[in-house]
């Protein structure tokens, strides 16, 4: 919640194995998805800064977090996927608590509809929280 700026360092570069790495590949990684989700669910929410080159920075939205669940991302260590389930549930619970405390019933209901999607691939459900 205290993060004012969120930056993704995603220049377009070629990996030593020949793959092209860029924002698209950044968005496939589970840990990067978790960072973006945490920013979006924080009280500051909002946009992030995309650093493409040392002198090229764009402000972009984070709304794609709804289409890119953490649990469906790529992990080098498969155990990380299961280890992130309680973190994602905690992020959601904190967001719900703040929405209720703030009397934001409409946004609360909207977030509730997205829970199954946000927990996809983590082997947990919101009801099991």
């Amino acid at each position: 919640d205290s993060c004012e700026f969120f930056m993704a360092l995603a220049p377009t570069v070629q990996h030593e194995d020949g793959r092209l790495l860029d924002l698209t590949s950044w968005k496939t990684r589970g840990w990067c998805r978790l960072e973006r989700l945490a920013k979006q669910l924080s009280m500051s929410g909002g946009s992030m800064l995309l650093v493409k080159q040392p002198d090229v920075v764009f402000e972009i939205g984070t709304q794609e977090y709804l289409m890119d669940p953490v649990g469906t991302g790529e992990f080098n260590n498969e155990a990380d996927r299961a280890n992130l389930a309680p973190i994602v549930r905690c992020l959601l619970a904190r967001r719900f608590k703040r929405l209720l405390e703030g009397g934001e019933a409409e946004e609360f209901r909207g977030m509730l509809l997205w829970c199954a999607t946000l927990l996809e691939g983590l082997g947990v459900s919101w009801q099991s929280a």
Side-chain angles (χ1 to χ4, degrees):
D1 285 339
S2 60
C3 173
E4 186 174 345
F5 297 103
F6 178 83
M7 287 185 264
L9 305 177
T12 301
V13 296
Q14 189 165 11
H15 191 276
E16 64 185 21
D17 66 9
R19 293 179 295 140
L20 189 64
L21 303 176
D22 58 7
L23 178 62
T24 301
S25 62
W26 179 88
K27 292 189 298 185
T28 66
R29 295 195 290 273
W31 281 101
C32 296
R33 289 179 177 194
L34 177 69
E35 293 165 353
R36 182 177 59 186
L37 177 65
K39 171 60 175 162
Q40 185 61 38
L41 294 179
S42 73
M43 289 306 289
S44 60
S47 60
M48 66 184 207
L49 300 174
L50 169 62
V51 180
K52 295 287 291 174
Q53 297 175 12
D55 59 344
V56 179
V57 179
F58 299 99
E59 182 176 1
I60 61 175
T62 58
Q63 64 277 9
E64 289 177 341
Y65 79 100
L66 294 169
M67 302 300 135
D68 299 328
V70 172
T72 63
E74 297 173 2
F75 292 93
N76 289 332
N77 181 350
E78 191 57 35
D80 286 347
R81 189 181 318 274
N83 291 334
L84 294 183
I87 296 170
V88 172
R89 286 186 4 199
C90 180
L91 290 171
L92 287 167
R94 289 178 59 197
R95 179 67 177 179
F96 282 128
K97 181 177 186 273
R98 288 190 304 269
L99 291 173
L100 284 175
E101 288 172 349
E104 299 178 56
E106 187 174 327
E107 188 174 345
F108 178 91
R109 287 190 296 273
M111 281 298 304
L112 198 55
L113 294 172
W114 282 103
C115 274
T117 299
L118 294 174
L119 292 167
E120 184 181 342
L122 294 174
V124 296
S125 69
W126 181 247
Q127 291 79 17
S128 66

